Amino acid sequence: TTRDTGEGGSQLSTVSITVVGASGDLAKKKIFPALFALYYEGHLPEHFTIFGFARSKMTNEELRTTISSTLTCRIDQRENCADKIDKFLQRCFYHSGQYNSEDSFRQLDIKLKDQEAGRVASRLFYLSIPPNLFVDVARSASRGASATQGWTRVIVEKPFGRDADSSAELTNGLAQYLSEEQIYRIDHYLGKELVENLSVLRFSNLVFEPLWSRQYIRNVQVIFSEDFGTEGRGGYFDNYGIIRDIMQNHLLQMVALFGMEAPVTLDAEDIRNEKVKVLRSMRKLKLEDVVIGQYKSHVKGGVKYPGYGDDPTVPKNSITPTFAAAALFIDNARWDGVPILMKAGKALHTRRAEIRIQFRHVPGNLYKKLFATDLDLATNELVIRVQPDEAIYLKINNKVPGLGLRLDKSNLNLLYSERYNKEIPDSYERLILDAIDGDKRLFIRNDELEAAWGIFTPVLKALEEKRVSPELYPYGSRGPIGAYYLAAKYNVRWGDMGDN
Amino acid sequence: TTRDTGEGGSQLSTVSITVVGASGDLAKKKIFPALFALYYEGHLPEHFTIFGFARSKMTNEELRTTISSTLTCRIDQRENCADKIDKFLQRCFYHSGQYNSEDSFRQLDIKLKDQEAGRVASRLFYLSIPPNLFVDVARSASRGASATQGWTRVIVEKPFGRDADSSAELTNGLAQYLSEEQIYRIDHYLGKELVENLSVLRFSNLVFEPLWSRQYIRNVQVIFSEDFGTEGRGGYFDNYGIIRDIMQNHLLQMVALFGMEAPVTLDAEDIRNEKVKVLRSMRKLKLEDVVIGQYKSHVKGGVKYPGYGDDPTVPKNSITPTFAAAALFIDNARWDGVPILMKAGKALHTRRAEIRIQFRHVPGNLYKKLFATDLDLATNELVIRVQPDEAIYLKINNKVPGLGLRLDKSNLNLLYSERYNKEIPDSYERLILDAIDGDKRLFIRNDELEAAWGIFTPVLKALEEKRVSPELYPYGSRGPIGAYYLAAKYNVRWGDMGDN
Amino acid sequence: TTRDTGEGGSQLSTVSITVVGASGDLAKKKIFPALFALYYEGHLPEHFTIFGFARSKMTNEELRTTISSTLTCRIDQRENCADKIDKFLQRCFYHSGQYNSEDSFRQLDIKLKDQEAGRVASRLFYLSIPPNLFVDVARSASRGASATQGWTRVIVEKPFGRDADSSAELTNGLAQYLSEEQIYRIDHYLGKELVENLSVLRFSNLVFEPLWSRQYIRNVQVIFSEDFGTEGRGGYFDNYGIIRDIMQNHLLQMVALFGMEAPVTLDAEDIRNEKVKVLRSMRKLKLEDVVIGQYKSHVKGGVKYPGYGDDPTVPKNSITPTFAAAALFIDNARWDGVPILMKAGKALHTRRAEIRIQFRHVPGNLYKKLFATDLDLATNELVIRVQPDEAIYLKINNKVPGLGLRLDKSNLNLLYSERYNKEIPDSYERLILDAIDGDKRLFIRNDELEAAWGIFTPVLKALEEKRVSPELYPYGSRGPIGAYYLAAKYNVRWGDMGDN
Amino acid sequence: TTRDTGEGGSQLSTVSITVVGASGDLAKKKIFPALFALYYEGHLPEHFTIFGFARSKMTNEELRTTISSTLTCRIDQRENCADKIDKFLQRCFYHSGQYNSEDSFRQLDIKLKDQEAGRVASRLFYLSIPPNLFVDVARSASRGASATQGWTRVIVEKPFGRDADSSAELTNGLAQYLSEEQIYRIDHYLGKELVENLSVLRFSNLVFEPLWSRQYIRNVQVIFSEDFGTEGRGGYFDNYGIIRDIMQNHLLQMVALFGMEAPVTLDAEDIRNEKVKVLRSMRKLKLEDVVIGQYKSHVKGGVKYPGYGDDPTVPKNSITPTFAAAALFIDNARWDGVPILMKAGKALHTRRAEIRIQFRHVPGNLYKKLFATDLDLATNELVIRVQPDEAIYLKINNKVPGLGLRLDKSNLNLLYSERYNKEIPDSYERLILDAIDGDKRLFIRNDELEAAWGIFTPVLKALEEKRVSPELYPYGSRGPIGAYYLAAKYNVRWGDMGDN
């Protein structure tokens, strides 16, 4: 993963980053701050240009004023912060245009060239716009503002369609103007830390890989929960629902990373090859293996928390699920018969994203004979927590020291985040940096997308055709009871119901 | 492992403990304090009697005075300490006699009966005397002072002979007067914590047992080092040397516990059956697989530390080893080809006793291709430390959080001793309590002893017949260079040379 | 396992074999012919003496006449056969006496000494008598006719009691007069071939042992069926029933041999230690895991086959089972959760004794996706056939050669009995030879017996206390339907219902 | 793998097969006979056309006469043979033209259309010509005679270049005119039987896959030997040598098939993906891991067998190897450290092509202790024989039946070719049929080719640059001694030196 901007070449090469949809919320809150953080840390090339592009009229200075309010320096970077911000803003510009207009992008091209000033210039377009505009921008930008000497890359964010068909349509639409190599589909939950930690743990230690299969693992749980609802911003969400919004992409990506075979190398394409193989080995999800829910209003401590239907941006009588649980299976030699339980929901009692791996019981357990307690429940469990606070820990049984024999449960932290006091970078920083570096490990390939939709599309269709009503659950609760029955059907107990 | 002293029966039953050799150092420093600690903790039966027995004349009060100076209460037991000590001393008595005299023991019997006062009495004899007296005392005590209703048990301490023949002779000598069930051979390094922790870890967790074999383990190191020499008390030691004193018993016991197959139950006999199987599967040690050393004087920081030969109690020109390293092999399916390296020495740079398990390298290591560092050296390692501070930890590779991919090594504490602030009982307490309870898990059976001598006797004979000279090493050093070559011969690097 | 009859020693040492119960059927049909075969093959020491002992009066010549009719020479041994028989009979004698009379055995002792003629003589007593006489004979023989210089050994045949208590009583009774080393409890179904073949296959080949566990094995079936009934000799049988007669000993022994861990050596005691461990790990059999049956009369091809109740030696309305099926479990690490199905019956459609090991399905079976056929049924199966025709074969799936992809099932013969045209010796020959050689591998030790009864005694008691009626099945049929339901309860299909 | 020639469609669709280089030896001996066999067996579509194409002038009748002499009917197909041959020949035509002439192919196109008569026609070109003509024909044929409605496919035969560079050049040359999907690179040693048998064995049986790794396999040997030399046809061969001619393609393909991970499905692309992964994991071959040889003349039984240099078509003083042995390694988790030995040679003592898998020794072998024989040598071995007589067999140790314990070695035939008396089709038949069916499982993909050259190119360059002289070995011998030393260096014994 060499950088295009080598030592000697820095004088002669440059990167231009255009944030398409610069006036949007995401751009302000995440993209510009991430670009600044990369600049501050020295991850951007010596010469670079940042352009905001949107329909609204704005001057360069107006843009700078807008974004300057969101730029912050980290605790360990207070020095020269204001100075750095100034320098960064000097490299930010604004261009107003239409998304479907080749001309607008040709004008942008002129301004970019002006800034690039004869250097070998590569160009990155960050499409922070609704998906229905993706193909328009791809066409206009590729025709009007492609790099001539360096590379041209485009970052797009989900949703990538609503089902297999619409996703294929979008893929084909983009493919008319961009090669697959140029497209960077972001799944920003795919934190590089998780990916690389998991890989490091499995593949650089001898002691984990032997346990990584159906022989030792009883079930896998991928859990995502938010402790807040749509809160007046449910309009977009209602069109997708929790399965499309969280499960089919974020949670499925986590399953693929967790379950994949060892890649032939650590190269992005090799890792993505293995991820696709896992996805292709997965059984299509069936209606009877899904439970959906929707949160309703709830009064607690005198406060009334609104239901999903109370959100004014949500259509009346919407049956869009804000919660879903699903049982999935990977029909390959490694995972045959191991239930992969997924759960995602809004307005639940806690905020977390994690993978929990429950190990099988100890065969012929010697201690079972000695004790009355159900040691089958006391199986080992490996928890990979993505948020809050990235961590990996293993639950084991040990003996309480002293005369007599009493067993206890301990958590072994496999990753001592407390050891490392460096602030962990935001996922946008990583992803933008990776796109500049051409590292596609954390981006989703078209065949991955296709395989992912293949698993979920049938059940999405069935839910809509049969207009299945979600089970209502109170705001702030643990979600629908149905999720427990679904787990019980496959002999699983949700691991997130205890204290950790 | 039910206790003989049940609730209702406590009024009617009693235990009498006779410390034979009561005037010796061990008795004062370890045995009486351990008996008191058991009493304080409520582990002794409601009624009990303690007799000191030795050749010297002494009154009960003199005994009490002598031992009272060594009794202490633990930090969390300060309350009523003096009161408890008083009550305990009231149950201590002294009887003077000859070790080989049945009469002496008959007189003791009368005094014991007097104290037992018609209760169902069991009797424990703790033989804190030189081994050449064992058979005499066994004869006299069993004939003169055996319990009539309860059990009679005898604790003996090593050395159990100097080689296979003398050990067999001792075993046969004792067997004339005591059944194997009555004999409790102590190896007090065999801390119950270690045994039971190891068993709990391996057999109550699913994640360790799969790794416990030649398939994953590259070598095992059993290391014992003291940071002091004989210090004027080398007379006894010189007759045995480090191999007999430490290796053939303590270290070998640790290997047996570590390497045994799962027992059919946790009963003492079942565990000992498995330990014997391991010992019987071990190859006889050969001379070329042993390195011996002897410490010489060394001046450090202006202080002169004396050599072994400087100890006035040591014979001139003694070639008794104070250090030995050996390479052993267990020729069974689980351990075939895994070198078991042992190292024991006095006057070394550190004090420790531990088992280190070095795991194999990761096959087809993906990270090897990416990094210049020798990841083959960075293999996982499991360390079971017996002293100082019992602990079990696993060394793994993990990723340093942040942008970029840097690997690091962490220690996972598998047993958080810091979690448990209870003071860990002395091994003498455990062992005496176990003898009273009839729990033989931590005592050595005659066939174990025979198998253990079988491994070491040939090399001991060869060393003596050939009068092999030990390699001299400075007091406080890391021991003879030869130990490194021996390890290298089997492709092993000693794990205790780093910082942990 | 050195033989007592070394080269030089043959002149000076001798073995005397006394068949107690010489007038019985077994003695005539099996024991004397086996002794002759051993003689013919040169396995008996150069000098030996055989005595028949029974209550009836008989001369030596009468005995010789009786047994001569049952002696045969094998096909490859026709040469000098008559000559050999003559010589053998010259070493056969008869002594009449009472089983409980020390005097009778003292008289025998005199005759034995006469034949032994001053040689170092060892003595083997083969107790071919009802079990209620065992203790009497043990007492009389050990007191009246023990060897003075060589060893004295006693072979006894099952039944060894009717349950845990009566078996313990018998064990204790024998133990008064004989040490455990002297007692040889025969289970003549324990063919040495099976034992040693199984051991050779598992422990001298790398390719089988990895498969020998719950990880790969789905269930184990131990099947014994006879194609004839009691046929007028049900008197003895009715007192025991099929569970005691076949299951608790023969079939359980086969399970123990099959399921044991690797012994530390191939010595008899080490193998028996492992067998005991398996038996002690087995769960006590419960009533709901047993199905019992009794055959009824059946007309086939115009022939009427009599029911069990039609046997005049069987009590009216007997509910003694002539068929039983049972589901057993070994609760250790290797076999946890693997159903061990047993089935034994008389008057069934076929004669066979075999162990069938059904392997699990292939996880993530690639071929399942391609074919309509249920490849889960087409799992591998290992069959160890004890009779008729000892054989071990493995069923595998292979491709039919040619264009296109069709799968087929093959039987791999792991033991090409056809390769070896030597007649396989009768199990009595082996067992008697082993007793002479002191090889106890194939004999049952007292703790084995105790463990075996421990498994079956509760269910035997329950059957009798509740007077459970057996399910009737027609003579010559496949047995009660209940056996299928029992198997189905544990998700097992009997493997002996197909063509092989 | 559906056939293009469905029921209803057979009237309307057709396939035209053009054998480019029709006057060559291969075409006559292999291609036309294979086409006829496919026709006879009913594997060709109802309507088809076969064209011979070459530079020489010939009439249709002349072609028919030429090829008719090589057509034969199989033993089980004697019926109507002559009739079938006649009908087949009626569909064979000839067209004379230049290989690099678009015009020639346009004329062919006209003739083809004439025969196709308006049906939906697909076209297959079999390039039976020297590789330097491949790109010319690809251009001319694709431009002049591509199918308009059906597919167009081109079969090419090795050699695909002389090294990585020339191979890439050829690949790129073809890629200008044909997509990768259209190109079918034949390796006709890749018998479908072997591929599919190996897959069936590994993936449809539970008992083989667990053994398929470095844990159980000690080394792998891929052996190809011919018992004849170049025999006056060494001109072509001398330009390539045995490494390019046999090792880099045939033997390496066998390794890839043997060593690959389980594919996600049995589809051609999935299998080829896995093959590429194996090849990419292989270490580049080094000069010190190669031994080369050249056969010299040898007189045996009065017959003089000529040396390679005696072949008049071979340049004087050629150092082209006719024999090579190499040690290769697959650096992935499954095969790390397992030597993959290859050996290929002409004029050796026997003719065979096989893979031999030698298993590790049994750890803690119980039988080793009992016997004097070196049981470490008596390890299990799996032999996959491609020719002569396809077979798969496993060597195991078993017990010789009878009293006493003697071990023996047996061969277990895993594929009873004798069970199936159908003649196994020639590999040309399979490959042509697969090309018609679009099944690319047995053809080599461009990335496979690239990876394969990557392994061998460095050593090929080194051999040529250093002009390494081959070790001479007598015609009909077992090859150079160096091959034994190379094996010994990696602790391997060639398995083909014994009797099977």
Side-chain angles (χ1 to χ4, degrees), chain B residues 11 16 46 48 54 59-60 66 99 106 147 170 190 198 207 241 321 335 338 352-353 393 420 440 463:
Chain B
Q11 296 295 328
S16 299
E46 196 167 312
F48 66 92
T59 65
N60 290 342
T66 310
Y99 294 131
R106 274 208 207 90
L170 177 58
L190 259 194
L198 254 178
V207 297
W335 298 115
V338 178
R352 75 166 84 199
Y393 56 92
Y420 304 104
K440 303 198 81 170
L463 285 170

Side-chain angles (χ1 to χ4, degrees), chain A residues 20 46 58 108 148 184 186 208 254 270 326 339 353 400 443 447 479:
Chain A
V20 183
E46 195 168 313
M58 219 189 306
L108 173 68
T148 47
Y184 285 70
I186 272 192
F208 297 109
M254 285 162 74
D270 288 323
V400 179
F443 297 89
D447 53 356

Side-chain angles (χ1 to χ4, degrees), chain B residues 261-265 267 270 273-274 276-278 280-281 333, chain C residues 261-265 267 270 273-274 276-278 280-281 333:
Chain B
E261 300 298 304
V264 66
T265 75
D267 290 352
D270 288 323
N273 281 342
E274 297 305 327
V276 171
K277 278 172 60 181
V278 173
R280 288 181 53 211
S281 294
Chain C
E261 300 298 305
V264 66
T265 76
D267 289 353
D270 288 323
N273 281 342
E274 297 305 326
V276 171
K277 278 172 60 182
V278 172
R280 287 181 52 210
S281 295

Side-chain angles (χ1 to χ4, degrees), chain C residues 237-244 292-295 308-309 314-323 460 462-472:
Chain C
F237 179 85
D238 193 73
N239 191 29
Y240 288 91
I242 198 83
I243 295 177
R244 288 184 183 90
I292 58 172
Q294 191 183 83
Y295 66 92
Y308 178 68
V314 166
K316 278 278 170 247
N317 301 321
S318 165
I319 57 167
T320 296
T322 62
F323 174 98
L460 287 166
L463 285 169
E464 281 162 18
E465 281 163 11
K466 302 190 178 181
R467 290 197 54 75
V468 177
S469 289
E471 184 183 337
L472 298 179

Side-chain angles (χ1 to χ4, degrees), chain A residues 107-299:
Chain A
Q107 289 154 20
L108 173 68
D109 185 55
I110 291 165
K111 292 188 186 171
L112 284 170
K113 286 214 174 97
D114 200 35
Q115 294 298 332
E116 290 160 3
R119 290 179 182 82
V120 173
S122 296
R123 292 186 182 169
L124 176 66
F125 293 87
Y126 195 119
L127 271 52
S128 181
I129 46 175
N132 58 318
L133 300 173
F134 283 175
V135 179
D136 281 345
V137 173
R139 185 183 53 245
S140 318
S142 71
R143 289 184 178 163
S146 278
T148 47
Q149 289 182 286
W151 46 255
T152 302
R153 292 171 188 156
V154 175
I155 295 178
V156 291
E157 291 227 26
K158 61 147 201 165
F160 311 119
R162 296 191 78 252
D163 54 22
D165 290 346
S166 55
S167 171
E169 197 184 326
L170 178 57
T171 296
N172 294 335
L174 292 175
Q176 288 181 265
Y177 311 108
L178 299 166
S179 72
E180 179 64 21
E181 286 78 49
Q182 295 182 285
I183 303 171
Y184 285 70
R185 290 178 196 84
I186 272 192
D187 186 338
H188 63 271
Y189 272 96
L190 260 195
K192 193 172 195 162
E193 286 302 311
L194 175 70
V195 183
E196 295 193 342
N197 276 341
L198 254 177
S199 295
V200 167
L201 275 178
R202 280 182 67 185
F203 303 129
S204 84
N205 292 294
L206 189 72
V207 297
F208 297 109
E209 188 62 14
L211 305 169
W212 220 261
S213 77
R214 67 196 291 277
Q215 191 186 345
Y216 296 106
I217 292 176
R218 184 157 59 164
N219 66 69
V220 180
Q221 303 173 18
V222 191
I223 296 169
F224 176 95
S225 75
E226 287 177 339
D227 53 4
F228 50 88
T230 53
E231 319 289 338
R233 303 178 56 182
Y236 158 81
F237 179 85
D238 195 73
N239 191 29
Y240 288 91
I242 197 82
I243 296 177
R244 289 185 183 90
D245 199 45
I246 302 294
M247 256 186 194
Q248 178 270 349
N249 32 50
H250 304 331
L251 302 199
L252 198 59
Q253 284 290 323
M254 285 162 74
V255 168
L257 281 168
F258 164 80
M260 72 180 184
E261 299 299 303
V264 67
T265 76
L266 294 170
D267 290 353
E269 288 314 306
D270 288 323
I271 290 176
R272 301 205 294 182
N273 281 342
E274 296 306 327
K275 280 166 59 191
V276 170
K277 278 172 60 181
V278 172
L279 296 178
R280 288 181 51 210
S281 294
M282 289 181 80
R283 223 180 277 168
K284 281 181 201 320
L285 182 59
K286 289 181 201 149
L287 192 54
E288 65 259 35
D289 283 340
V290 172
V291 166
I292 57 171
Q294 192 185 80
Y295 66 92
K296 60 182 181 188
S297 72
H298 182 58
V299 179

Side-chain angles (χ1 to χ4, degrees), chain C residues 226-231 295 345-348 351 475:
Chain C
E226 287 178 339
D227 54 3
F228 50 88
T230 53
E231 320 287 337
Y295 66 92
K346 288 176 174 295
L348 292 169
R351 172 176 166 258
Y475 194 117

